[in-house]
Amino acid sequence: QKEVEQNSGPLSVPEGAIASLNCTYSDRGSQSFFWYRQYSGKSPELIMFIYSNGDKEDGRFTAQLNKASQYVSLLIRDSQPSDSATYLCAVNNNDMRFGAGTRLTVKP
Amino acid sequence: DAGVIQSPRHEVTEMGQEVTLRCKPISGHDYLFWYRQTMMRGLELLIYFNNNVPIDDSGMPEDRFSAKMPNASFSTLKIQPSEPRDSAVYFCASSQGADEKLFFGSGTQLSVL
C-alpha cells in the first residue's frame, strides 16, 4: 500500500467551476499535511498546509482534513486557467512523503 | 534570502561516470531533503538531514548513491557509477522544522546516456 495516494486524474474542469482534489494516507501518526502545486518543468510550491481536523480557507483554496478517515482534500473555487498544474499531496511524520499528484486542467 | 540553490540545472553524462549534485539550503533551516522525481514513480524521498546529520536514508536506491552534508550551508548527492535508470529530476528542499513546509530548489535534470 502506498503511503500517500491521490485520485489518479487527470482532472478537467471548466473555468469558474470548483475543482476537488483528494488524498488518503496510511500513517496514522502523521501530524501535518500539505498541498503543493507544480507547474510543468518547475519545482513544487506550497499552496496550503493544515494540521487540525476541519477546514482551512485561504482565498480560493480550502483544505479539509479528517484524521479519523485519514483523508485530506483541496478545493479550488472559481478555477482559473492559471490553476492548471499538477497538485501534490504531502504528509509529514518526521519526513515529508508525497503522493503521485493529480494533473488539473482548467479549460477557458 | 535567495532560496534553496541547486547546481547544476542540467547534467548530461555517460553511463558509468560519477555525478555530483549540489545544494545550498536556506540559511537557518535545520532540515535538508533530497528527492528524485520521475513520471513513473513521482516524487521520492531519498534522504534527509537534521542539523547536518543524516536521519533517514532508507530511500536511497542502492550503494551507488551517497549524500553528505559537511556543514549547514552545503550538501551533495553523488551517484557513482551512474546508470541510465538514474535519469530524473533531483530536487533539494529545506525546512525550519520537522513539521514545517518545504522550500524546493529549482532541481537538477539528470540525463544518463
Side-chain angles (χ1 to χ4, degrees):
Chain A
Q1 181 185 5
K2 292 183 180 178
E3 294 172 335
V4 183
E5 294 207 44
Q6 297 185 239
N7 47 338
S8 56
L11 178 64
S12 180
V13 300
E15 184 175 356
I18 296 175
S20 177
L21 305 165
N22 304 314
C23 173
T24 58
Y25 60 95
S26 60
D27 185 352
R28 284 194 172 274
S30 299
Q31 298 296 318
S32 50
F33 308 86
F34 303 80
W35 284 98
Y36 287 81
R37 176 177 63 199
Q38 186 175 26
Y39 292 112
S40 181
K42 301 295 186 182
S43 56
E45 56 179 341
L46 181 72
I47 301 175
M48 295 279 294
F49 61 91
I50 185 167
Y51 298 148
S52 304
N53 280 328
D55 295 359
K56 179 180 179 181
E57 187 174 316
D58 184 2
R60 296 186 296 110
F61 299 94
T62 299
Q64 299 174 316
L65 173 61
N66 184 325
K67 289 186 179 181
S69 300
Q70 296 174 247
Y71 175 87
V72 192
S73 67
L74 179 70
L75 299 178
I76 307 175
R77 291 181 300 281
D78 188 24
S79 296
Q80 301 297 309
S82 59
D83 295 327
S84 298
T86 296
Y87 289 79
L88 301 166
C89 172
V91 175
N92 195 324
N93 186 10
N94 294 320
D95 61 32
M96 189 82 78
R97 304 282 174 168
F98 285 81
T102 299
R103 182 167 183 82
L104 171 67
T105 300
V106 181
K107 296 185 175 180
Chain B
D1 199 316
V4 177
I5 300 173
Q6 289 188 247
S7 64
R9 289 297 303 275
H10 303 275
E11 177 79 35
V12 180
T13 190
E14 293 186 346
M15 182 174 64
Q17 297 298 305
E18 177 179 298
V19 175
T20 299
L21 310 181
R22 297 172 176 80
C23 175
K24 175 178 168 41
I26 293 173
S27 177
H29 282 193
D30 293 333
Y31 286 80
L32 183 140
F33 300 78
W34 282 101
Y35 288 89
R36 176 173 69 176
Q37 188 172 40
T38 61
M39 288 293 293
M40 290 296 294
R41 301 175 69 89
L43 201 58
E44 300 175 277
L45 177 63
L46 299 178
I47 185 172
Y48 77 97
F49 296 82
N50 178 22
N51 291 323
N52 313 338
V53 177
I55 303 300
D56 184 352
D57 65 355
S58 60
M60 296 286 261
E62 48 198 273
D63 292 345
R64 298 184 297 105
F65 286 69
S66 62
K68 294 182 179 180
M69 192 165 186
N71 57 62
S73 59
F74 184 66
S75 177
T76 60
L77 178 67
K78 185 176 294 186
I79 308 172
Q80 167 63 19
S82 59
E83 296 183 3
R85 59 193 169 116
D86 301 330
S87 297
V89 180
Y90 290 80
F91 287 105
C92 175
S94 69
S95 68
Q96 284 187 311
D99 291 336
E100 301 289 326
K101 59 187 176 184
L102 295 183
F103 292 83
F104 282 82
S106 299
T108 295
Q109 174 74 61
L110 174 65
S111 297
V112 183
L113 306 178

